[in-house]
Amino acid sequence: MVALLVLPWPPGGRFHYRVGETAKEDVRAPIDLTIEDKSTTEALVRKAKASVKPVFDLDTKWVSQVSDKISTLFSELRLSYDENNVDIDLKYFRNVLGVDLSKSVVRTFRRYRYAPWVEDAITTLIFRLGEYWILSPKPPVDFYVLRRGFVVRDLSLSKEFESRSVERIYLPSEVGGLIKRLVLEKLPYRMTSLRRAVIILLSKIARPNFFYNPKLTQERIEKAQERVKPTFISVRKGEVIVRKGERITPRIALELEAVRAKLERNPFVVFLGYFLSVLVALYVATLCWFRVYKGRAEPSISYRIFLFALVSFLALTRFGSVVGERLPLFLPWLKGMDSLQLLPVAFPGVFVAFLFHFLPALIMTIVAVACVALMPGGTSFLLLSLLLASVAGAYTIRKGKGEKAVILGITAAAMVCFVLEVARLLFRGAMVDTTFWVNLALVPLSALFSLLLVLAAAPLTELAFGVVTDIKLLSLINLEHPLMKELLERAPGTYNHSVNVATLSEAAAQAVDANPLLAKAGAYYHDIGKLRNPEYFIENTEGRSRHDKLSPSMSRLVLISHVKDGVELAKEYKLPRAIKDIIQQHHGTSLIYYFYHKAKESCKDTEVDEEDYRYPGPKPRTKEAAIVMMADSVEAATKTLEDPSPSRIRNLVREIVTSIFLDGQLEECELTLRDIYRIMEVFSKILIGIYHKRVEYPGREKKNGSRLSGSAKH
C-alpha cells in the first residue's frame, strides 16, 4: 500500500507533461521514433463513418398488388350487386383486401354501384400514395441528417440510388394526413361521403413501403473504416520535441508519451524498486518502534496505528499533489505554487505524539520524510519543512494534554514552516509578487488542515483500535463522572483512597515517562468494583469488620470479586479498554496475605494452597497498571502506621515495592530498576506530605485550663 502511494503515477519523469502545462526545460528526442497519431487516425475514421449514408429498402410491389385487388374486388361487386344484402359486400372486402369496414362505408360505395370511375379514382390514389415513402422503423438519425443524403434500394427493380428528398418520407403516424390531402385533391368537393369512405379505405390498406436497413448500413460503415490507413508522425533523434516555456499541445504530449513508453522499464520492475525502498524504511522503523516503545498499549496495536497514520498521511499527500498541480489550470493566480504545498506537514509528528510520546513521533516523522522523498515533487525544502515542522510539533506536545496541546503543537509547526518558506523564497531570489504571498498563505492553511486531521483522526483511532486519547482521559478524571459520584456516596473511604492513589500514580508516571493521565484515570477507577459490596472493605466501615463472621475462604472470594465486578462496571459505563486493563491488573496475581495466614492458622491439620489465595491476574502489562498497583499498596499500608515519620514511610514504601518486585508482579511490564527507584522516591515524598505528624500550637488553652491541640504542618 505504501509503495503504491509513493510510486509516481503515471510514471515518466522529465517526459511526463499534461496538455496545457508549460515545459520546464528543453526536451529532445533521445531516439528515432515513428509514432501513430491516434487522434488524427480517429478523426479520419469518424470522417469515413460520417461519409457513409444510411441505406433504405423501397418496396414498390405493394402499389400494383393492392391496385389489382381493388380492380378485382370492384368488378366482382358490380357483377354480384344486390341492393338488399350489404353483408355479402362486407365479406368481399374482408376476403379480398383483408380489411373490416363499417356498413356505412360500404353503403357509400354501393350508392355509386361500385362505378368504374370510383374504382379508377381509388387506384389512382393508391398509385399517388405509392409515390411517397412510408418509413418503418424510424432510423437512429433525424431528418436533418437525412437531408445530407441517403441511399434508396428499389427491391422490385434491383437498383439503388442516392436521394435527399426528405419531403417524400412519411412516418406511419403522418400517413392519415397525407391520404386526406390526396383524396381532397382527387375527388370533387360535393362528394363528402365518398371522400370519407375512400379515406377510411385507404387508411386501412396503406402500409409502410420504406424500410431502414441497419445491417447493410453498418457493413458499409465498417468497410469505410477499414479503408482508413493509420497516420504516423516521424521524430528524429536529437530533434526538439518541446522547448522550455512552450505550452504542451496534444501532438507534443503524444510525442512525449511515445518517448516515455520506449525508455521506461517494465512497470513491475519500477514498482519493485519502490517496494524495496519502502520495505527498508518500514523495517528500520519497526526495529526502532519496538525498541523505544514505552508500553502505553499493546506494541502490536500501537504499530498498527503507526501504519494507519503513515498510510493516511501519504494518501493525503498524494491527494494534495494532484490538487496542487491542477488548481493553477482553473485559478491562474496560483501559478508557481509547488504541487505539495497543501501537505499537512504537522500531522505525522503531532498525531503520534498526541497518542503516544515523542520518540515514536520522531520515528513516524523520519519514515514519512523517507516516503515523501520517493514521491514526485519531493523537493529538499519540502522534506526539510516536513522534518523540522513535524519534530517541532511533536516536541511541543510531548508534555501537553488535550486539544490545547494539539493547538500548541500545530502552532509551533506552522511557525517553523513559515520561517522555512520565507527562507526558501529568499534563497530562490523570488520577488514579492502574487506567488510569494500565495505560498506564504498556504502555510496557515496547511496548519489548519493538520489540526483538523489530528482532531478528527484521534477519536476515530480510539474507536477503531481501542486506544485511549488524552482528550478522553481528561473527561474521565473529572470527579463529576457518575461512577466517581456514586463511589463518593456509597463508599467514601474507597473514594478517598482512590483520590490519594491517583495523586501518587500521576506523579510517578511523570517521573518515569509514562502517561500521567492514564495512570491518574486508572487509579480513580481501579476500585470501582467495591461498589457492589462496600461494607466488606475496611476503609468503608466503622467499628467491627464484617469479615469477622466469614471464613477466610469466603473473605477471599469477596476480595477477589471486586476486580471482576470492577471490570463489569467499566464495561457497563463504557470505560476505555486501557482503564479496564488497569482495573483487572492492579492486583496482578498477588497474595492476599491476611486471609491466607488466617486460613493457615484455622486449618492447622490441613494444608492450605497458596494459589487459592492469589488474585486471578493478569500481572500488570503496562507501566501505568504497575504504577497503580504499587500506589494502591503503599497508600493503603501507610494509613496503618501509628507513627508515620518520614523514615518509617520511606522504609514502608521500599518494603512494599520490593515485595511486589520480588513476587514477580512487575516482570511483564517495561519498568526498569531505575524506574522503580524513581517511583519509590516519588511515593515517599508525596506520602510524607500527606501523613506527616501534626504539632500543637503553643499558647492555646482549653476552657478548663489545659492546652487546645491544634494542627499545623511539620
Side-chain angles (χ1 to χ4, degrees):
M1 173 63 75
V2 176
L4 288 174
L5 287 172
V6 301
L7 179 69
W9 189 262
R14 60 193 294 264
F15 296 103
H16 177 64
Y17 285 102
R18 295 185 179 88
V19 176
E21 293 181 341
T22 302
K24 299 178 181 178
E25 58 181 336
D26 291 344
V27 179
R28 297 179 180 272
I31 54 175
D32 291 336
L33 291 171
T34 301
I35 311 162
E36 181 183 355
D37 189 352
K38 293 184 179 180
S39 60
T40 303
T41 303
E42 290 173 358
L44 293 174
V45 169
R46 289 194 297 269
K47 185 177 180 182
K49 180 180 179 180
S51 66
V52 176
K53 297 179 174 59
V55 180
F56 294 86
D57 295 333
L58 177 62
D59 181 13
T60 57
K61 295 179 181 179
W62 171 79
V63 175
S64 57
Q65 291 172 353
V66 175
S67 177
D68 292 343
K69 289 181 180 180
I70 290 293
S71 298
T72 301
L73 174 65
F74 272 66
S75 297
E76 292 180 358
L77 289 173
R78 280 196 298 270
L79 292 175
S80 61
Y81 181 77
D82 185 354
E83 291 184 359
N84 298 320
N85 200 338
V86 179
D87 294 334
I88 294 177
D89 293 2
L90 288 172
K91 188 179 296 185
Y92 267 105
F93 274 99
R94 186 181 303 111
N95 294 337
V96 177
L97 295 180
V99 296
D100 291 323
L101 298 178
S102 63
K103 290 184 179 181
S104 61
V105 172
V106 174
R107 287 194 184 98
T108 301
F109 289 130
R110 288 170 61 84
R111 189 179 303 125
Y112 293 93
R113 295 181 178 273
Y114 303 106
W117 67 269
V118 175
E119 175 189 337
D120 291 340
I122 294 174
T123 54
T124 301
L125 287 170
I126 291 174
F127 277 100
R128 286 290 310 279
L129 189 61
E131 295 175 0
Y132 295 90
W133 299 332
I134 303 174
L135 179 62
S136 178
K138 187 177 181 181
V141 293
D142 54 26
F143 285 173
Y144 178 79
V145 176
L146 294 179
R147 289 184 184 279
R148 302 174 187 173
F150 52 91
V151 176
V152 180
R153 295 173 67 234
D154 192 331
L155 301 180
S156 60
L157 300 178
S158 300
K159 69 174 185 178
E160 66 179 49
F161 58 91
E162 290 189 12
S163 176
R164 295 184 180 178
S165 303
V166 180
E167 63 277 1
R168 297 179 62 183
I169 301 176
Y170 282 82
L171 296 174
S173 60
E174 301 170 339
V175 173
L178 173 63
I179 292 174
K180 288 180 181 179
R181 180 169 60 81
L182 295 177
V183 171
L184 290 175
E185 293 175 356
K186 179 65 179 176
L187 295 176
Y189 178 76
R190 63 182 180 276
M191 299 180 178
T192 304
S193 59
L194 182 59
R195 281 180 176 179
R196 188 182 302 108
V198 172
I199 289 172
I200 293 173
L201 176 62
L202 292 180
S203 299
K204 294 279 187 179
I205 62 177
R207 63 180 178 83
N209 62 345
F210 198 59
F211 306 94
Y212 174 64
N213 193 327
K215 182 178 180 181
L216 186 57
T217 303
Q218 185 60 34
E219 289 177 358
R220 295 187 180 187
I221 289 174
E222 291 175 357
K223 289 180 180 179
Q225 290 175 338
E226 290 173 359
R227 289 193 292 268
V228 176
K229 295 182 179 180
T231 305
F232 293 93
I233 301 171
S234 296
V235 180
R236 298 296 179 186
K237 181 179 180 179
E239 182 179 340
V240 176
I241 299 176
V242 62
R243 296 192 180 277
K244 182 179 180 180
E246 186 178 352
R247 190 173 295 278
I248 305 299
T249 63
R251 174 163 178 158
I252 293 175
L254 179 66
E255 295 176 6
L256 293 174
E257 174 67 26
V259 173
R260 190 167 69 252
K262 287 285 184 181
L263 296 182
E264 273 184 358
R265 295 160 290 175
N266 188 319
F268 175 76
V269 176
V270 177
F271 172 75
L272 184 60
Y274 278 90
F275 177 79
L276 291 175
S277 301
V278 172
L279 185 64
V280 171
L282 290 180
Y283 175 73
V284 174
T286 304
L287 292 179
C288 296
W289 185 274
F290 284 94
R291 175 65 184 85
V292 305
Y293 184 71
K294 296 297 181 180
R296 289 177 176 252
E298 291 294 333
S300 58
I301 294 177
S302 65
Y303 190 68
R304 286 200 292 270
I305 296 172
F306 162 78
L307 293 178
F308 163 74
L310 179 64
V311 171
S312 302
F313 172 71
L314 294 177
L316 291 168
T317 300
R318 205 56 189 266
F319 176 75
S321 174
V322 173
V323 173
E325 289 177 358
R326 283 166 173 72
L327 274 180
L329 299 177
F330 305 98
L331 302 172
W333 53 275
L334 290 177
K335 185 178 179 181
M337 179 186 71
D338 288 342
S339 60
L340 292 178
Q341 283 292 92
L342 295 176
L343 178 67
V345 292
F347 174 74
V350 173
F351 178 69
V352 176
F354 177 64
L355 291 182
F356 304 107
H357 52 107
F358 177 68
L359 286 178
L362 185 60
I363 297 171
M364 173 69 184
T365 301
I366 294 173
V367 176
V369 170
C371 292
V372 173
L374 296 172
M375 286 186 173
T379 63
S380 57
F381 267 100
L382 174 66
L383 299 176
L384 184 63
S385 298
L386 174 58
L387 176 63
L388 297 182
S390 194
V391 170
Y395 185 80
T396 305
I397 202 177
R398 75 192 191 285
K399 295 294 184 182
K401 300 174 183 177
E403 295 95 333
K404 184 179 179 180
V406 175
I407 295 173
L408 289 175
I410 296 294
T411 303
M415 292 175 64
V416 171
C417 285
F418 188 85
V419 174
L420 289 176
E421 184 62 26
V422 173
R424 182 179 73 89
L425 295 172
L426 294 177
F427 176 78
R428 293 183 177 181
M431 299 176 60
V432 181
D433 54 7
T434 304
T435 303
F436 179 90
W437 295 113
V438 166
N439 287 328
L440 287 183
L442 288 176
V443 173
L445 184 62
S446 173
L448 178 61
F449 189 22
S450 301
L451 175 63
L452 295 177
L453 283 175
V454 173
L455 295 179
L460 291 177
T461 306
E462 181 178 335
L463 191 64
F465 297 97
V467 298
V468 57
T469 64
D470 286 354
I471 296 175
K472 180 66 174 178
L473 291 174
L474 285 171
S475 66
L476 290 176
I477 62 175
N478 186 350
L479 294 178
E480 294 299 317
H481 190 280
L483 267 176
M484 295 304 297
K485 293 176 72 173
E486 187 176 357
L487 195 66
L488 176 61
E489 293 174 3
R490 297 183 55 202
T494 302
Y495 174 87
N496 182 64
H497 164 71
S498 298
V499 171
N500 289 339
V501 172
T503 302
L504 294 170
S505 300
E506 182 181 21
Q510 289 176 340
V512 296
D513 198 24
N515 188 340
L517 282 178
L518 178 56
K520 185 175 183 178
Y524 272 156
Y525 298 94
H526 78 285
D527 271 346
I528 57 174
K530 294 180 179 180
L531 282 170
R532 295 282 172 87
N533 298 292
E535 65 276 5
Y536 283 91
F537 298 91
I538 191 65
E539 68 267 22
N540 299 315
T541 60
E542 295 180 2
R544 193 172 181 180
S545 172
R546 291 202 176 190
H547 288 280
D548 295 341
K549 297 180 180 180
L550 299 179
S551 65
S553 59
M554 287 300 297
S555 297
R556 168 186 64 88
L557 291 175
V558 172
L559 266 70
I560 290 176
S561 66
H562 91 274
V563 176
K564 180 182 176 182
D565 293 339
V567 174
E568 291 177 355
L569 278 173
K571 291 179 180 178
E572 180 182 342
Y573 282 84
K574 295 181 172 55
L575 297 184
R577 187 173 65 183
I579 304 296
K580 288 185 282 188
D581 289 343
I582 291 176
I583 295 172
Q584 191 174 30
Q585 298 168 18
H586 81 277
H587 280 299
T589 58
S590 59
L591 181 65
I592 307 174
Y593 287 100
Y594 179 80
F595 292 109
Y596 171 64
H597 288 292
K598 186 176 180 181
K600 288 179 65 176
E601 291 175 359
S602 61
C603 303
K604 294 181 179 180
D605 298 334
T606 59
E607 185 177 353
V608 178
D609 190 355
E610 181 179 306
E611 293 300 320
D612 291 340
Y613 284 84
R614 285 187 176 273
Y615 285 94
K619 297 177 181 179
R621 294 174 180 172
T622 63
K623 285 184 176 183
E624 293 79 11
I627 289 171
V628 172
M629 167 187 267
M630 291 184 284
D632 181 35
S633 298
V634 299
E635 199 280 334
T638 306
K639 288 181 178 179
T640 64
L641 286 177
E642 295 181 358
D643 183 18
S645 63
S647 60
R648 287 190 176 185
I649 290 176
R650 287 193 183 94
N651 291 335
L652 180 64
V653 169
R654 188 180 302 110
E655 178 184 344
I656 291 175
V657 172
T658 301
S659 66
I660 291 173
F661 175 76
L662 294 177
D663 194 31
Q665 299 302 316
L666 305 180
E667 60 188 10
E668 295 185 13
C669 66
E670 295 186 359
L671 286 175
T672 63
L673 289 174
R674 185 183 183 89
D675 292 336
I676 294 173
Y677 177 77
R678 288 177 178 174
I679 290 171
M680 288 191 296
E681 289 295 317
V682 171
F683 283 171
S684 299
K685 182 178 179 181
I686 294 176
L687 289 172
I688 289 171
I690 295 176
Y691 295 106
H692 67 279
K693 281 187 176 182
R694 307 289 178 174
V695 297
E696 295 181 350
Y697 287 105
R700 298 183 64 187
E701 300 284 340
K702 292 184 179 179
K703 289 184 179 180
N704 59 8
S706 62
R707 292 184 181 274
L708 283 169
S709 61
S711 64
K713 291 188 178 180
H714 187 267

